[in-house]
Amino acid sequence: YDFWAVGKDCCSGSQANFHCDHFNNPHANGGYRLMTDNDRPFYRLAVQQAEATYKIRAVHPLFFEWAIDPIATVDGWRYQGKTEYLAWVLSYLVFQSFIVAFATLAFSKMGFS
C-alpha cells in the first residue's frame, strides 16, 4: 500500500468515492510522481485515514498524479526548465556586460584626472 493516486477535490466525502482527473479515461494509463511538497502533508493525512479505516499499513507512501500522457508532461517540464535556464544565463550575460562596461569606463576616467 505504498503507491497512491492523488489529486485535489477528488472525493465527495463518502468512502470509496475517488473521481480525479482522467479516472475513467481509457487512454490514461500512467502517472507521474508528485514532486511538490505543498500538498504532501494533506495527502499523508488521507493515507493515515485510509490506514485507520481499512486496517492497512503504508510505511513509505509514494504519491502519483494520474495522467493521459505523463511522458509529455515531464518532457514539458524539461523544456520549460531549459528555457528558463537559458533566459537566466542570457540575462546574467547582459548584466555582467553592463557591469564590465561601466567598470571599464570608470577606471579609464580615474587614470586621466
Side-chain angles (χ1 to χ4, degrees):
Y1 297 107
D2 286 338
F3 298 99
W4 296 83
V6 297
K8 292 183 182 179
D9 300 326
C10 298
C11 300
S12 66
S14 62
Q15 292 181 352
N17 189 9
F18 180 79
H19 298 298
C20 262
D21 294 338
H22 314 299
F23 81 98
N24 62 351
N25 188 335
H27 300 291
N29 57 5
Y32 49 89
R33 188 168 176 190
L34 180 72
M35 300 301 287
T36 59
D37 289 332
N38 299 343
D39 299 322
R40 193 175 307 271
F42 300 108
Y43 295 143
R44 184 65 179 125
L45 180 62
V47 169
Q48 290 171 351
Q49 289 176 339
E51 287 176 322
T53 302
Y54 300 109
K55 309 242 186 302
I56 59 175
R57 184 143 167 85
V59 178
H60 184 68
L62 301 175
F63 303 113
F64 295 88
E65 293 187 26
W66 199 242
I68 293 174
D69 192 2
I71 294 173
T73 302
V74 173
D75 286 343
W77 292 341
R78 181 179 298 121
Y79 178 78
Q80 181 182 2
K82 286 180 182 178
T83 303
E84 289 183 18
Y85 172 76
L86 287 176
W88 283 107
V89 166
L90 291 175
S91 298
Y92 182 75
L93 176 68
V94 169
F95 173 72
Q96 192 67 23
S97 298
F98 175 75
I99 295 297
V100 168
F102 180 75
T104 302
L105 183 63
F107 286 131
S108 68
K109 298 288 181 184
M110 292 170 70
F112 295 111
S113 297

